[in-house]
Amino acid sequence: MSETPQPADLIVFGGTGDLSMRKLLPALYHSDRDGRLSPETRVIAMSRGGLDDADFRGKVDAEVRGSVPVDDLGTWQRFLGRLHHVTVDISGQDPTGWARLAGMLGGHEHRDRVFYLASPPMTFGPFCREAHRAGLVTPASRVVLEKPLGRDLASALRINDEVGAIFDERQIYRIDHYLGKETVQNLLVLRFANAFLEPIWNSLWIDHVQITVAETVGTPGRRGYYDHAGALRDMVQNHLLQLLCLVAMEPPSRNDRESIRDEKVKVLQSLRAVTGGEVDRFTVRGQYTAGESGGVAVPGYLDEPDNTAPTEDSHRVETFAAIRAEVKNWRWAGVPFYLRTGKRMPYRCSEIVVQFKDVPHSIFPGSTPNRLVLRLQPSEGIQLNIMAKEPGAGEVALKPVPLGLSFAETFTGRVPEAYERLLMDVLTGNPTLFMRRDEVEAAWRWIDPILDEWESRGTVPEPYPAGSAGPAAAHELVGRSGRVWHEEGLA
Ligand code: BG6
């Protein structure tokens, strides 16, 4: 792995799509602006769009320039100059686009070559076959697969086999952009670069853990994707389970590509299966109905504007999911991990809450157990609630007070977007923050029985009004054991 990126060709399939315009191209521009791209690096967008290089540059100029800081026109022009577009057909019927791409890449076989598949998972296998057939897959090539990787274990295995028939596992980068977020990486530093937490990071001291990813956005214009995904596939199978892994994993022996992933996969394999009748007790699914978001009236999921009408699937799909998970190993026996995620929640808030047990013997009335809150977004930071005495004579009165670290206040300067970090890692050949095949498959192995049970019942998710903190059953899920969700963000 080299720190200075070498000249590379980054080929983005789905290069004119939403992800590319909103995340990938802005991230690449920032890297370029910071001098982290080699002058010869090219970005080649592939799509069915029939654009030429000038059209594509014009599109990026119109759609991306407003979302990035262009303080110097020269840098922006240099960035645009890196961009190219090739029209391709992955059905294998029309080889002209592939031939054109081969012409562009010819003579540059020594460069790092990255194929970024920002496209639906069913295109991954066909893309790799065609790229191979066109002779484009060199030993220095890598392929990046966007989530979701399949829609269940069977499809994930098939896709992994298809991609694995062309690329070695060391060349495959399965992206989960949560792993590129600064605070998520900070979780590893907090746990493994500080001595005081590790001795109490277990079931002796920790009562339970909550992982919440709440979004205010709905799904307008996404019905085609979302009806077949739902919150469990879209968020829990990847982002939330990855966060759970980072909280629950054992200390790795090294900070290298395999050690961290080895430990994460062990956590996934230790998750207690939720099957049959337990699915009712340990999971909740909801779908938002009309309500308010940020003081504005918004429609329910079924009435979101879209160019397709709602179907049977739309009625059944969940926009909210909550699960009580357990990690069955020595460290975590008996500690529930509550996961929840939802669209159209009252606030945007992603956080991990580690709730400690009460002191073994309390000599002060009114003490409450310590709580560590790791806020991923917005206002990234870490807060530990400790008990302190309120100043004053007479009776000792206790008050929980926060010991806090705000990243924005402590570390000035721009916080890079997750995609920026991850794209640089791909270009420098560092797969540590990407998911290995066995990780993705282990995650599906745990999710599949829940999906099967939900689907076999044919019931609809519990409604919750947009702008509320999810269905009532989610509160019962934690309330049954006398616990409550940490609602500071989600009043
Ligand atoms: C994506 C999901 O992976 O993550 C989206 O497909 C979701 O549905 C998004 O909105 C959330 O990402 P972030 O970085 O905004 O929390």
Side-chain angles (χ1 to χ4, degrees):
M1 187 181 74
S2 116
E3 279 304 315
T4 317
Q6 301 301 308
D9 285 324
L10 177 63
I11 300 126
V12 186
F13 181 59
T16 56
D18 188 57
L19 180 74
S20 183
M21 297 310 231
R22 271 191 323 110
K23 299 285 183 187
L24 304 182
L25 290 165
L28 286 164
Y29 167 71
H30 277 294
S31 301
D32 193 4
R33 186 170 171 254
D34 291 351
R36 282 183 284 121
L37 292 186
S38 148
E40 291 150 75
T41 289
R42 298 183 291 181
V43 180
I44 305 172
M46 296 175 79
S47 78
R48 287 172 302 181
L51 310 181
D52 62 18
D53 290 353
D55 297 334
F56 181 53
R57 288 172 190 171
K59 182 175 165 65
V60 175
D61 195 38
E63 295 178 27
V64 179
R65 187 161 150 183
S67 64
V68 292
V70 178
D71 33 31
D72 148 26
L73 215 51
T75 311
W76 178 248
Q77 292 299 347
R78 180 183 70 202
F79 176 67
L80 288 183
R82 297 176 183 280
L83 308 182
H84 303 268
H85 184 275
V86 180
T87 301
V88 281
D89 161 36
I90 57 158
S91 70
Q93 312 273 310
D94 177 7
T96 41
W98 292 98
R100 175 151 179 255
L101 184 60
M104 289 172 78
L105 297 176
H108 298 291
E109 287 75 11
H110 58 285
R111 291 184 173 193
D112 288 320
R113 186 173 289 178
V114 174
F115 297 99
Y116 194 119
L117 308 193
S119 54
M122 71 264 198
T123 62
F124 296 170
F127 178 93
C128 293
R129 272 197 303 278
E130 289 307 312
H132 176 64
R133 191 160 27 188
L136 305 181
V137 180
T138 57
S141 292
R142 289 163 214 142
V143 63
V144 184
L145 308 179
E146 257 299 332
K147 65 150 272 275
L149 207 118
R151 49 176 289 103
D152 52 17
L153 178 61
S155 53
L157 288 168
R158 196 175 54 248
I159 293 166
N160 278 332
D161 284 346
E162 287 172 352
V163 176
I166 309 291
F167 291 91
D168 284 347
E169 181 62 24
R170 65 172 178 84
Q171 297 174 290
I172 304 174
Y173 287 62
R174 297 176 190 82
I175 206 161
D176 181 322
H177 76 278
Y178 266 58
L179 294 178
K181 289 186 189 274
E182 283 291 323
T183 337
V184 175
Q185 291 166 55
N186 234 310
L187 177 55
L188 288 180
V189 175
L190 179 76
R191 281 196 61 195
F192 304 129
N194 293 293
F196 73 100
L197 272 181
E198 211 43 34
I200 54 170
W201 206 252
N202 56 49
S203 62
L204 287 179
W205 298 94
I206 293 177
D207 176 72
H208 73 278
V209 176
Q210 300 183 7
I211 300 177
T212 295
V213 178
E215 299 180 276
T216 49
V217 292
T219 56
R222 289 184 87 194
R223 182 166 293 133
Y225 163 69
Y226 207 84
D227 271 4
H228 301 283
L232 197 60
R233 290 186 176 97
D234 186 47
M235 300 294 286
V236 180
Q237 191 270 347
N238 32 76
H239 305 326
L240 277 89
L241 284 184
Q242 285 294 321
L243 296 179
L244 183 151
C245 285
L246 297 178
V247 174
M249 69 194 253
E250 293 300 314
S253 56
R254 284 185 299 272
N255 179 21
D256 66 17
R257 55 180 61 195
E258 299 311 338
S259 305
I260 290 179
R261 302 197 289 181
D262 284 346
E263 294 306 333
K264 284 198 293 166
V265 84
K266 284 187 214 158
V267 174
L268 292 167
Q269 288 163 348
S270 312
L271 284 172
R272 180 176 178 280
V274 181
T275 54
E278 286 180 343
V279 170
D280 265 350
R281 259 193 309 139
F282 295 149
T283 75
V284 173
R285 58 192 182 129
Q287 187 183 90
Y288 64 86
T289 53
E292 267 197 12
S293 178
V296 177
V298 291
Y301 178 74
L302 297 173
D303 299 311
E304 285 288 14
D306 206 285
N307 45 21
T308 58
T311 63
E312 267 297 284
D313 292 331
S314 320
H315 288 266
R316 299 228 175 108
V317 78
E318 77 288 352
T319 59
F320 174 99
I323 305 183
R324 180 189 194 279
E326 266 177 58
V327 180
K328 285 186 62 146
N329 62 18
W330 191 290
R331 185 191 283 266
W332 294 114
V335 178
F337 284 73
Y338 295 104
L339 314 178
R340 81 177 152 162
T341 182
K343 303 278 186 210
R344 288 282 189 231
M345 305 288 280
Y347 295 101
R348 177 167 185 250
C349 163
S350 299
E351 65 181 19
I352 298 168
V353 177
V354 179
Q355 179 64 62
F356 289 92
K357 292 185 173 169
D358 211 345
V359 292
H361 171 68
S362 175
I363 56 169
F364 300 111
S367 82
T368 55
N370 301 122
R371 181 198 292 140
L372 180 69
V373 180
L374 301 142
R375 179 64 76 87
L376 311 183
Q377 58 193 27
S379 344
E380 295 94 334
I382 298 174
Q383 186 174 304
L384 177 64
N385 283 339
I386 58 165
M387 293 310 297
K389 178 187 174 299
E390 281 212 71
E395 285 270 302
V396 174
L398 303 193
K399 189 176 177 199
V401 289
L403 271 183
L405 162 68
S406 151
F407 288 127
E409 283 166 22
T410 311
F411 304 106
T412 47
R414 191 177 66 84
V415 176
E417 270 266 341
Y419 275 99
E420 219 176 307
R421 160 79 199 241
L422 295 173
L423 278 166
M424 283 301 106
D425 282 357
V426 179
L427 290 172
T428 53
N430 178 6
T432 313
L433 295 177
F434 294 80
M435 293 180 292
R436 223 166 47 189
R437 174 177 185 148
D438 50 355
E439 268 181 82
V440 174
E441 292 173 2
W444 279 121
R445 221 163 257 123
W446 186 71
I447 291 285
D448 260 13
I450 302 174
L451 281 173
D452 288 349
E453 197 60 28
W454 283 358
E455 278 163 21
S456 69
R457 292 183 186 197
T459 49
V460 294
E462 199 182 320
Y464 64 95
S468 71
H475 298 282
E476 287 152 26
L477 181 77
V478 290
R480 279 200 290 276
S481 52
R483 299 175 172 115
V484 288
W485 289 109
H486 180 243
E487 301 290 17
E488 238 153 65
L490 296 183

